[in-house]
Every structure is written in C-alpha cells, then in structure tokens.
Amino acid sequence: MREHAAVTEIERRVPDAVIDAIAEAGLFKLATPQRYGGHQSSMRTMLDVSAALAEGDGSTSWVVTLVNVCNWLTSLFPSKAQDDVFGANPDARVTGVLSPTSTAAKDEGGWRVTGRWYYNSGSSHSDWAVLGIPLRDDDGTVVDQGLALVPRADLSLEDTWFVAGMKGMASNCLIAEDIFVPEHRVMSVPAAIEGTYPTEHADEVMSRSAFVPILALVLAGPQLGLGRAALKYVTEKAARKPISYSFYETQAESVAVQLQIAEAAMKIDTARLHAERAAADIDQATQNGTYPDFTQRARVRADTGWAIQNTLEAIHTLVTVHGAGSFAEVNPLQRIWRDANTAGRHAVAAPTVAFEVYGKALLGIDEKITPLV
C-alpha cells in the first residue's frame, strides 16, 4: 500500500493490484456471514484491521472499512437478499450511502427508485450498493426511511470525487434511473436503529450488533492508523533532522520536541483506548444478546468523536514538530495530514454532535438532534 500510495492519489482510486491483494488476504470479508465463507468477526477486529491498513495508506484503509461495514449491513437483510448478494458471489463487495437522496414509488412486489447518492466510497470496486430511500404511503407521505440493496450493474457512476485528502477513496456519485428494487431488498432504517433487523439468522452473533454504534466506530479505525503512521515517521526522523536556525543538531535533543512528541503519543493512545472501549461495549452486548440503550449508544458516538479529535490534534502537533518540510510532495506526512483531516470531518464522526448527544443523554434531556444514535 505504501508503494502504491502516490499512484492511488494520482489515479484517485485504489489500484487494482492493491484491491486484488486485499481480496486474496480475505480482508474484505471480515463481516460477511460464515454461511458464505466470510469471517463474521467482530467490531474490534474491523477496528484493528482498518487501523493497521491505514499505516500503509489512508484511502485504501477507508475503502476496506466501508466495504466491510456495508457487507455487515447486507447481513442484516432477509436471507433471500443475502443469497442474492453472497449466495451468487461469496466474494461480493458492497458499498453504500444512508442518506435518502432519492425518490421511491411503491410498485407491485417492491419499489421504483430514482436518485443520486454522493460520496459512495469505493464505488468503483463494488458489486452492490446499500442506498437510502424515502418510503411513502399511498398519499405520498413519507412514513419510513429505507435502505435498498441494489446491484451495482443497475447504477451508473458520475466521477465527482475531487478533494484535498483521501483522494483514492473514489467516493463518487451513484445514480439510479427508475430501477426496480424488490421488497425483500429493502430494510427499515428507524427499525434497525432500535435493533430490529429482518435477518432470520439471529444466532449469528455479529448480525445482532448495534446499528449506529457500528456505523460510527468503524470511521475511527483509519484515523488510528494514520496517527500511528505520523508518530512513527516523525520520531524516526527526529533522530537525524536538525532544528533549523537553532543550535540543536537533531530534533530529538530538544526538550520542547520531547514534550510535544510525548503529548502526541499520549493523544494517540487516548484515541485508541476510547475506540477499543467502544468496540468492547459493542462486542460484549452482541455476545450477551442485548441491545445497548440510548445512553450506551450515545457514549459510543462520543468515544468515536473523542478518538478522532485526539488523533487530529496529535497529527497537528507532529506536523508542527517536523516543520515546513512536512508539506513537501515527496513527504508522506503531508498525505497523512490531508487524509486524516478529510476523513475526520465525516458527518457521522463529528465530535461536537457526538458530545452534545452524549451530554444530553447523561443529563436526561429528551431532545434528539440526530436519528443516528
């Protein structure tokens, strides 16, 4: 991944050679049910794998992360829908967007859907997509929000991902023009948020995991790896890099640098510990067959925001320590900085929203500011 990182940025997609290597290693199947040859692992495993991959390249890690979480979403659908995807191709890769930026009209046995879904990460490497749709009654009133499982072949793609960081995510726009989605491939999002899934396989542990906590926490994985990569790069260079216009022959000799490095390392550890706690909460509830209550789910969102905030602060400090050379095009640190700052602004991972949700829950204030808890 490190060897292909520059090409990934130039081509604005993860090269096929990297995708093939990841597929061969089985890393796209972390959440695929074992019935189809998947690993059906755990939230902690998804977090650890995403972080490890991000030490090589942020965009690649993000694509793997989003495929795995969308494969997990697919495991929540009825068996018939799962068979459509994994039964036909055990190595199927699913991407998706929850926002219902579309129209959906009831038709016999399903829905007719037209829409555009932006920021569909990894869309050029997927076989299927899970896409948000509004569900209306006969009077045209929106009564539910659905998640539709659609073959990638039914969708066209518009190349729209021109960004400063995470350039290789290929988070382009998927477009549907009056496509038919059968009823068994539509799932209610509000019901899923409360833990009601249409899958018949409640015995499969991972398919009992909490909906929003999984969707939120996976976004911290790439950040953790980017933070570790930045720390390793800066500390290794500090032993040889002088501090310009000072008497220090190496950065490592400076007490100021030592303090900053320690602070950055502690923030990265803090991020990891909060993310791991959240993963443990999710996995333990899943093992116990219980569904976390609102406050517990809110804490996972807060843990996610706290992990991302601390990682971004650590990377900011490390770039400051390394100096202006951080922004040379040949320096991987500038790509890490751009990738982390782009991914860290994902709406579901926004720290301020997460903290407000958790604070309200702790104070017993019954005021929802987002349905995604």
Side-chain angles (χ1 to χ4, degrees):
M1 286 186 292
R2 290 193 189 97
E3 292 171 2
H4 286 84
V7 175
T8 297
E9 284 218 312
I10 293 169
E11 296 184 351
R12 295 183 303 109
R13 68 189 299 274
V14 181
D16 290 340
V18 177
I19 292 293
D20 292 345
I22 290 169
E24 186 177 349
L27 299 183
F28 283 120
K29 303 176 74 170
L30 300 183
T32 302
Q34 291 178 351
R35 288 175 285 118
Y36 304 106
H39 301 307
Q40 196 177 310
S41 55
S42 65
M43 180 63 245
R44 176 60 189 271
T45 298
M46 288 203 291
L47 191 72
D48 288 347
V49 170
S50 295
L53 295 179
E55 292 187 58
D57 179 61
S59 290
T60 304
S61 172
W62 189 272
V63 169
V64 175
T65 299
L66 269 291
V67 167
N68 277 315
V69 79
C70 289
N71 282 7
W72 172 73
L73 285 173
T74 304
S75 76
L76 307 182
F77 280 80
S79 293
K80 188 176 180 181
Q82 295 183 48
D83 286 343
D84 290 346
V85 179
F86 300 123
N89 177 12
D91 297 317
R93 297 192 288 265
V94 186
T95 58
V97 178
L98 264 67
S99 300
T101 52
S102 60
T103 61
K106 192 75 173 117
D107 198 3
E108 185 177 355
W111 301 83
R112 306 295 310 185
V113 176
T114 295
R116 299 170 67 89
W117 295 268
Y118 286 91
Y119 312 134
N120 197 301
S121 301
S123 49
S124 56
H125 303 295
S126 66
D127 307 294
W128 288 75
V130 281
L131 304 169
I133 61 173
L135 302 179
R136 301 177 184 273
D137 61 17
D138 294 337
D139 297 327
T141 303
V142 176
V143 293
D144 200 355
Q145 180 181 335
L147 198 59
L149 188 56
V150 181
R152 180 66 181 76
D154 288 356
L155 305 164
S156 59
L157 184 147
E158 183 178 343
D159 189 3
T160 56
W161 190 245
F162 297 90
V163 290
M166 287 288 190
K167 292 187 175 185
M169 292 196 309
S171 299
N172 293 307
C173 177
L174 291 180
I175 304 168
E177 297 286 354
D178 192 32
I179 63 171
F180 178 73
V181 182
E183 193 72 51
H184 70 277
R185 286 203 242 121
V186 176
M187 177 174 70
S188 170
V189 172
I193 288 172
E194 297 302 325
T196 301
Y197 307 138
T199 177
E200 300 89 345
H201 298 277
D203 58 316
E204 294 178 342
V205 175
M206 198 173 186
S207 64
R208 299 198 301 260
S209 298
F211 191 76
V212 175
I214 288 269
L215 295 179
L217 188 58
V218 291
L219 304 179
Q223 295 292 96
L224 298 178
L226 289 168
R228 293 203 298 253
L231 179 64
K232 181 179 180 181
Y233 184 85
V234 173
T235 52
E236 288 178 350
K237 293 294 183 183
R240 302 184 300 276
K241 190 177 188 293
I243 299 179
S244 300
Y245 305 111
S246 79
F247 295 114
Y248 286 113
E249 294 184 2
T250 69
Q251 291 179 328
E253 299 170 41
S254 165
V255 172
V257 168
Q258 294 163 9
L259 293 173
Q260 288 176 297
I261 290 290
E263 180 185 357
M266 291 301 292
K267 284 182 179 293
I268 290 168
D269 282 345
T270 294
R272 176 180 58 81
L273 291 168
H274 274 270
E276 289 178 356
R277 178 180 74 169
D281 287 347
I282 293 169
D283 289 338
Q284 189 60 58
T286 302
Q287 290 286 344
N288 295 342
T290 59
Y291 200 79
D293 63 26
F294 186 87
T295 301
Q296 291 170 324
R297 302 196 313 262
R299 191 176 84 168
V300 172
R301 278 209 62 168
D303 276 335
T304 302
W306 193 244
I308 288 171
Q309 179 173 297
N310 276 272
T311 302
L312 289 175
E313 290 174 358
I315 292 173
H316 174 81
T317 297
L318 292 166
V319 168
T320 300
V321 167
H322 194 70
S326 302
F327 300 97
E329 289 187 351
V330 296
N331 192 327
L333 192 57
Q334 52 82 24
R335 184 172 57 251
I336 292 170
W337 178 78
R338 287 186 289 107
D339 285 351
N341 276 278
T342 299
R345 267 69 183 184
H346 191 287
V348 177
T352 50
V353 173
F355 300 158
E356 184 177 353
V357 167
Y358 188 40
K360 280 180 165 56
L362 290 173
L363 292 167
I365 298 174
D366 188 17
E367 178 190 354
K368 288 190 176 181
I369 62 170
T370 173
L372 295 179
V373 180

